[in-house]
Amino acid sequence: MGRRRARRKIMASETAIGEGNCLGWAARDPSGFLSPYKFDRRDVGRDDISVRITYCGVCYADVGWPRNHPGNSKYPMVPGHEIAGIVQCVGANVKRFKVGDHVGVGTYINSCQKCDSCNIFLEVQCLRGVNLTYNSVDVDGTTTQGGFSRFIVVHQRYTFKIPDNYPLELAAPLLCAGITVYSPMKRHNMNQPGKSLGVIGLGGLGHMAVKFGKAFGLKVNVFSTSISKKEEAVSLLGADEFVLSSDEKQMKALAKSLDFVIDTASGDHPFDPYLNLLKVAGVYVTVGASEVKFSPISLLRGMRTVAGSAAGGTKDIQEMLDLCAAKGVYPKVEVIPIDYVNEALERLIKRDVKYRFVIDIENSLK
């Protein structure tokens, strides 16, 4: 019944679809409800690429921003920042790409290109502020619109080659979920075979942390408060061990045994029990945007490090895509048509997805 109601709303809204050269699905207000919307993409500049979008992943940001959770949403808003597609046009200065290439676009589409962060290819930490793929400002002053649309125009620096042998629908989630865990794993040397990694949470980010951990030759322990996650963690994703984090006996047995922990959980949870699992000089990285609370003693006693991370720079993104193709690292996805997106967002809120929704833009956005 809910899906029929959603379809009726979409049909009713089509009379106010707007005008422009690109068709997408947009939120019009903080309800976050998405429906068809036409808008204008900017012209292709000398350093730009026009990408025909074939697939776009669905991130939790696509729940929050359309509903104005950050308080800065601009409407109409076309979400989507896990974009995979095919080059359909290139600017005069573009040499790295040609028409027909498989490419990806992630969470940002420009930066100042001059600051200390940009100069070391950490553009996501641009000191002058990064230009996000949607709900931000483009080079022409217009509001950026995301990948729930037919095509996008992006500066070549922020476009990434997807190897021809890598399926585009599986590449899409790498552009946010994948790089969000890959980047800190590389930065903190979590790629040393034989070391031990703990992964907290088993959603879109967590399942990629497990897959990268195994690709790097780590012993991977998955921590969850739900025993129902055990089978999928070990049998489906290949984790070495599953630990029920609410079981004090299991947690104590692993005290001071892990070299690294990646925390992908988004809900509030205690940090000290997990910090105490780290060896001396162990590293704990949080990427899940939960509130961080812990005792300083948990750090002092073991010389431990706590760090945060968000997405990654352009060099890391391309390196990650190449590694995934070379080592056969593939996210688990559920491909959906665009007209199912509102239901998918509700399921995402309920964590009812294994492990990333990907919209088939090419075959369903007509």
Side-chain angles (χ1 to χ4, degrees), residues 148-164:
F148 294 5
S149 57
R150 283 182 175 168
F151 73 98
I152 190 168
V153 177
V154 185
H155 189 285
Q156 61 176 325
R157 178 168 175 163
Y158 310 91
T159 310
F160 309 97
K161 288 186 177 181
I162 297 172
D164 290 339

Side-chain angles (χ1 to χ4, degrees), residues 3 87 105 120 231 242 365:
R3 186 169 181 179
V87 175
V105 178
I120 59 172
E231 181 67 20
F242 174 87
L365 181 55

Side-chain angles (χ1 to χ4, degrees), residues 256 270-282 284 293-306:
K256 301 178 182 178
F271 279 63
D272 290 293
Y274 298 106
L275 284 168
N276 291 331
L277 301 177
L278 287 170
K279 295 177 181 179
V280 172
Y284 187 112
K293 294 180 180 179
F294 58 85
S295 168
I297 299 299
S298 296
L299 302 186
L300 300 177
R301 282 180 177 166
M303 299 191 303
R304 295 161 179 141
T305 298
V306 173

Side-chain angles (χ1 to χ4, degrees), residues 35-94:
S35 58
Y37 168 64
K38 282 186 177 179
F39 62 99
D40 278 317
R41 291 286 189 194
R42 63 181 176 82
D43 293 338
V44 176
R46 296 177 63 84
D47 295 303
D48 293 334
I49 295 171
S50 178
V51 180
R52 174 169 57 86
I53 299 171
T54 56
Y55 295 95
C56 188
V58 181
C59 173
Y60 203 85
D62 304 326
V63 172
W65 257 324
R67 301 179 189 212
N68 199 29
H69 290 178
N72 65 349
S73 297
K74 305 175 180 69
Y75 301 102
M77 178 195 298
V78 178
H81 60 201
E82 296 182 338
I83 299 167
I86 300 171
V87 175
Q88 60 181 2
C89 179
V90 299
N93 292 342
V94 176

Side-chain angles (χ1 to χ4, degrees), residues 134-154:
Y134 68 93
N135 200 53
S136 188
V137 180
D138 211 337
V139 293
D140 63 349
T142 61
T143 299
T144 57
Q145 303 288 7
F148 294 5
S149 57
R150 283 182 175 168
F151 73 98
I152 190 168
V153 177
V154 185

Side-chain angles (χ1 to χ4, degrees), residues 12-24 26 28 35-40 76:
S13 72
E14 287 178 350
T15 56
I17 201 169
E19 296 181 359
N21 62 12
C22 186
L23 174 64
R28 307 314 209 279
S35 58
Y37 168 64
K38 282 186 177 179
F39 62 99
D40 278 317

Side-chain angles (χ1 to χ4, degrees), residues 25-348:
W25 276 46
R28 307 314 209 279
D29 55 54
S31 72
F33 188 84
L34 304 180
S35 58
Y37 168 64
K38 282 186 177 179
F39 62 99
D40 278 317
R41 291 286 189 194
R42 63 181 176 82
D43 293 338
V44 176
R46 296 177 63 84
D47 295 303
D48 293 334
I49 295 171
S50 178
V51 180
R52 174 169 57 86
I53 299 171
T54 56
Y55 295 95
C56 188
V58 181
C59 173
Y60 203 85
D62 304 326
V63 172
W65 257 324
R67 301 179 189 212
N68 199 29
H69 290 178
N72 65 349
S73 297
K74 305 175 180 69
Y75 301 102
M77 178 195 298
V78 178
H81 60 201
E82 296 182 338
I83 299 167
I86 300 171
V87 175
Q88 60 181 2
C89 179
V90 299
N93 292 342
V94 176
K95 307 300 181 186
R96 292 176 51 233
F97 301 94
K98 65 182 185 305
V99 173
D101 282 351
H102 291 188
V103 296
V105 178
T107 61
Y108 55 98
I109 48 86
N110 217 320
S111 64
C112 79
Q113 305 181 25
K114 299 176 182 179
C115 71
D116 289 347
S117 293
C118 289
N119 286 339
I120 59 172
F121 302 103
L122 274 177
E123 298 92 342
V124 68
Q125 301 294 338
C126 177
L127 301 181
R128 300 180 185 178
V130 73
N131 301 82
L132 300 173
T133 302
Y134 68 93
N135 200 53
S136 188
V137 180
D138 211 337
V139 293
D140 63 349
T142 61
T143 299
T144 57
Q145 303 288 7
F148 294 5
S149 57
R150 283 182 175 168
F151 73 98
I152 190 168
V153 177
V154 185
H155 189 285
Q156 61 176 325
R157 178 168 175 163
Y158 310 91
T159 310
F160 309 97
K161 288 186 177 181
I162 297 172
D164 290 339
N165 65 337
Y166 201 93
L168 289 175
E169 69 271 24
L170 301 183
L174 298 177
L175 279 304
C176 178
I179 191 59
T180 297
V181 292
Y182 178 87
S183 184
M185 290 181 78
K186 177 189 173 186
R187 185 162 59 252
H188 296 285
N189 300 311
M190 300 184 191
N191 54 1
Q192 304 172 63
K195 296 285 188 176
S196 54
L197 170 70
V199 177
I200 305 171
L202 203 59
L205 301 180
H207 98 286
M208 288 307 306
V210 173
K211 285 179 168 288
F212 283 130
K214 295 307 297 179
F216 291 142
L218 304 178
K219 179 182 178 182
V220 179
N221 298 265
V222 169
F223 294 84
S224 176
T225 57
S226 175
I227 191 64
S228 64
K229 298 281 189 178
K230 181 176 182 178
E231 181 67 20
E232 60 192 78
V234 177
S235 300
L236 182 63
L237 299 177
D240 296 283
E241 300 287 345
F242 174 87
V243 181
L244 188 64
S245 55
S246 58
D247 187 324
E248 291 186 14
K249 185 176 179 180
Q250 291 187 46
M251 294 290 282
K252 286 181 179 179
L254 287 173
K256 301 178 182 178
S257 68
L258 302 180
D259 296 289
F260 315 109
V261 169
I262 290 264
D263 186 346
T264 71
S266 56
D268 288 345
H269 59 283
F271 279 63
D272 290 293
Y274 298 106
L275 284 168
N276 291 331
L277 301 177
L278 287 170
K279 295 177 181 179
V280 172
V283 178
Y284 187 112
V285 176
T286 177
V287 296
S290 58
E291 186 174 0
V292 177
K293 294 180 180 179
F294 58 85
S295 168
I297 299 299
S298 296
L299 302 186
L300 300 177
R301 282 180 177 166
M303 299 191 303
R304 295 161 179 141
T305 298
V306 173
S309 191
T314 56
K315 184 177 179 181
D316 281 353
I317 294 172
Q318 188 61 64
E319 181 183 275
M320 174 201 62
L321 289 168
D322 294 340
L323 178 140
C324 287
K327 291 185 174 288
V329 178
Y330 302 108
K332 298 287 186 182
V333 306
E334 180 179 336
V335 179
I336 61 171
I338 188 70
D339 64 0
Y340 186 71
V341 67
N342 289 299
E343 288 88 342
L345 292 170
E346 293 300 324
R347 284 179 55 192
L348 182 56

